[in-house]
Amino acid sequence: MPRPLIRFAIGRTNGTAHYGVLLADALPVTACGTHAPGLRPIGEHTAHTLCQSCTRAWLVLTTAPHPGGEPEFRPAAGAGKSASSHRPIPGHLLGFCGKPLDDRPSTPRRVCANCNTLDAALDRFHHTAGELTLPSEPCHIDDAVLWAPNGHGNLVTGHHRDATTGTGYCGQPLEHPHPGAQACAPCRRRWEETEVLRQIQTLPSSREVTAGWQDRARDTFSDVASTLEPGDAYTLSGCAQRHHVVEVLSHGTAGSIELLVYLPGEDRLSEVRLRRERLVTVERLDSAQQRRER
């Protein structure tokens, strides 16, 4: 039977958390290869700091490869031809070791030791854990979902998240989604105002801008999400839809970028959060045509 990925830690409320599985004999096995007495399952939304190796292991396990194909090894960003090669995380210009990578292949003459360490740990993890049940993370954020404030996961009141600041519309620092809560009144008012403007102004404008997109002259290339600009369209592994970038809301925290995109297949706007190193296929109109449309 497939085993689900869960979180483990020694402390119940704080400390370092790891991803892994629980074997039939109640033995925890972590993706990063950490062995520590006292590891026990913990909830998803706690104050723990996630192990960086497990964070990268999670990406390796849950991200589909870039549709354009990926080499087995890449050099670090800005490195010369004689530098060490790195194993790229699928769908990212990010090494198993966490280093940003260049968008070109390299030869495996000298492979990063840290990349090899995580690669070996994942091989052992697959051999021990067997078949896994992997979560499917949604590409598009449900803008109506409420969030819990920092350190408070069980409150009745939740907050609408402002992607431009990363906090609630009322200014409250937020930690994780909190569905089923009742909306904070100040957040609800500002969120409703934002939604009205998007529906009566931004949505019709987006329909007009993307009409006839297929017939326009445009460049198509692979790049990382951090290079996306308003007016671009992009696709990425794991989602079949074309995303038209309406606005870059924020460069966020923890290496993320947040976008407001138009989804023509569903005729709606959505907020999207991507890691900056995420590989995307970009479609960009030539500069002369963009000037004409403005």
Side-chain angles (χ1 to χ4, degrees):
M1 179 180 294
R3 294 185 173 93
L5 278 179
I6 58 178
R7 300 205 314 164
F8 295 96
I10 296 174
R12 291 189 176 277
T13 57
N14 54 47
T16 301
H18 302 269
Y19 281 115
V21 297
L22 198 64
L23 300 183
D25 57 1
L27 177 68
V29 177
T30 63
C32 66
T34 294
H35 300 282
L39 282 176
R40 66 189 71 187
I42 58 171
E44 279 298 315
H45 305 303
T46 63
H48 292 80
T49 300
L50 191 61
C51 162
Q52 290 302 303
S53 294
C54 282
T55 299
R56 296 192 296 273
W58 176 275
L59 293 177
V60 174
L61 293 169
T62 60
T63 309
H66 186 57
E70 299 184 48
E72 187 176 357
F73 298 97
R74 294 186 190 271
K81 293 183 178 179
S82 61
S84 296
S85 296
H86 298 265
R87 298 180 185 275
I89 292 173
H92 295 77
L93 280 184
L94 188 70
F96 273 41
C97 64
K99 283 189 176 181
L101 303 184
D102 208 339
D103 188 18
R104 57 189 170 93
S106 63
T107 57
R109 288 176 298 182
R110 187 157 52 94
V111 180
C112 166
N114 291 329
C115 285
N116 279 339
T117 296
L118 182 58
D119 184 52
L122 281 170
D123 280 344
R124 291 192 298 270
F125 179 68
H126 278 296
H127 179 74
T128 305
E131 189 177 356
L132 300 172
T133 300
L134 298 174
S136 57
E137 301 229 347
C139 177
H140 316 118
I141 300 170
D142 184 353
D143 308 336
V145 167
L146 300 176
W147 286 61
N150 284 351
H152 300 282
N154 57 353
L155 297 180
V156 174
T157 301
H159 301 263
H160 285 287
R161 185 176 181 275
D162 181 358
T164 60
T165 63
T167 66
Y169 278 98
C170 66
Q172 176 75 49
L174 303 178
E175 189 170 26
H176 58 80
H178 188 34
Q182 297 178 5
C184 157
C187 284
R188 185 181 65 248
R189 286 195 297 271
R190 292 198 57 193
W191 177 77
E192 288 175 348
E193 291 169 359
T194 300
E195 278 299 296
V196 168
L197 286 174
R198 285 180 177 178
Q199 294 301 316
I200 66 175
Q201 294 183 7
T202 310
L203 183 58
S205 174
S206 299
R207 290 187 188 121
E208 184 178 350
V209 167
T210 58
W213 178 266
Q214 289 293 102
D215 300 326
R216 302 180 190 182
R218 61 194 189 279
D219 297 321
T220 302
F221 54 94
S222 293
D223 211 331
V224 289
S226 60
T227 64
L228 290 169
E229 303 171 355
D232 290 346
Y234 73 88
T235 53
L236 76 171
S237 60
C239 183
Q241 299 200 57
R242 176 184 280 112
H243 308 69
H244 291 266
V245 181
V246 178
E247 184 181 355
V248 178
L249 298 173
S250 170
H251 284 283
T253 58
S256 66
I257 181 173
E258 306 209 29
L259 309 168
L260 179 66
V261 301
Y262 173 63
L263 304 170
E266 300 179 18
D267 189 31
R268 70 180 181 92
L269 299 168
S270 177
E271 293 179 4
V272 174
R273 187 181 312 135
L274 299 172
R275 291 186 65 92
R276 293 173 189 165
E277 308 91 350
R278 184 67 194 267
L279 266 171
V280 294
T281 300
V282 185
E283 297 176 67
R284 181 171 292 167
L285 299 177
D286 63 59
S287 56
Q289 183 159 336
Q290 287 193 48
R291 285 195 297 271
R292 288 196 299 270
E293 294 190 350
R294 289 172 186 164

